[in-house]
Amino acid sequence: MDSRHTAHGPEEHHKLIVDTTSIAVPQPDDSKQRKAYFNSKSATSYAFKVQTACDFNYRIVHVSECYLGSVHDITVLRESGLLEHVNDSVQIIGDKAYIGEEFVITPKKKPHRSELTTEEKDFNYNINSARAAIENINQHIKTYAVLGSVYRGAVDDFDKITKISRVVCALCNLNLIKHPIRK
């Protein structure tokens, strides 16, 4: 990743953009499983969660293991091993779900009963513009029916869904060679 040639412009750091995506599963029969798989952003309200990280060239460079839908995004990031590779030359950009992690650049939250300054609004605009890359990647991942619709496999086989997610991400990277998102 040569950051001087990224789509975002010349920078002194390598930048990765991180986000999780949910993979819908059918409603579990057991109430404990329903609580564990609950994810309000899923089409069925129950899901797996997989974290992806990409660079500014829209290449997926990291795919986490599969997690239950109720696991928070920051927990997935901390357990994924991605932070072990962060140093002074690598920065991670994330959404507001990652606020509190010292190695992740996130948008500024609006203060209680107050407004953001113009500088903070500009900062948020730049961060959210950069984050568009991972949102586009997550949409490309969802074009594959195995991840874009309700997952029909065994919901307790986390290794299998992790492997499927990684294969789909590899296919997305291969597809970028022929059909780039941005030119």
Side-chain angles (χ1 to χ4, degrees):
M1 294 185 309
D2 186 359
S3 60
R4 292 172 294 187
H5 302 293
T6 61
H8 195 61
E11 301 288 339
E12 60 188 50
H13 299 284
H14 297 297
K15 291 187 175 25
L16 297 177
I17 309 144
V18 68
D19 199 11
T20 60
T21 188
S22 59
I23 303 161
V25 297
Q27 179 176 340
D29 297 327
D30 182 17
S31 64
K32 286 183 181 181
Q33 278 190 329
R34 281 196 298 271
K35 186 175 181 180
Y37 284 93
F38 181 77
N39 185 303
S40 62
K41 295 180 182 179
S42 169
T44 62
S45 297
Y46 303 98
F48 293 115
K49 193 179 267 192
V50 174
Q51 175 186 273
T52 54
C54 74
D55 60 14
F56 282 105
N57 294 319
Y58 294 88
R59 290 179 306 212
I60 300 170
V61 295
H62 174 79
V63 181
S64 75
E65 292 182 8
C66 179
Y67 287 84
L68 295 168
S70 63
V71 176
H72 197 278
D73 291 3
I74 200 165
T75 304
V76 175
L77 176 65
R78 288 174 179 158
E79 293 180 3
S80 70
L82 187 61
L83 291 176
E84 295 171 10
H85 304 288
V86 175
N87 55 34
D88 293 337
S89 66
V90 178
Q91 294 178 339
I92 297 177
I93 298 172
D95 59 15
K96 289 183 182 177
Y98 299 99
I99 289 177
E101 183 56 54
E102 67 177 302
F103 299 112
V104 182
I105 301 168
T106 59
K108 304 288 183 193
K109 284 177 68 173
K110 181 179 162 189
H112 183 67
R113 296 185 182 182
S114 183
E115 295 295 322
L116 292 173
T117 65
T118 303
E119 293 82 22
E120 290 171 329
K121 288 180 183 178
D122 290 342
F123 176 80
N124 284 357
Y125 179 82
N126 290 331
I127 291 296
N128 291 329
S129 295
R131 286 194 58 262
I134 196 69
E135 299 298 342
N136 287 332
I137 290 295
N138 285 341
Q139 272 311 113
H140 276 268
I141 290 169
K142 298 287 182 138
T143 61
Y144 291 84
V146 69
L147 299 182
S149 61
V150 178
Y151 179 70
R152 293 181 180 92
V155 295
D156 58 348
D157 193 352
F158 287 88
D159 288 336
K160 183 176 181 181
I161 190 64
T162 298
K163 288 176 185 175
I164 290 170
S165 300
R166 290 179 176 165
V167 167
V168 166
C169 289
L171 290 172
C172 286
N173 278 346
L174 285 174
N175 193 27
L176 282 174
I177 296 168
K178 286 188 175 183
H179 307 287
I181 293 174
R182 300 258 193 262
K183 293 183 180 184

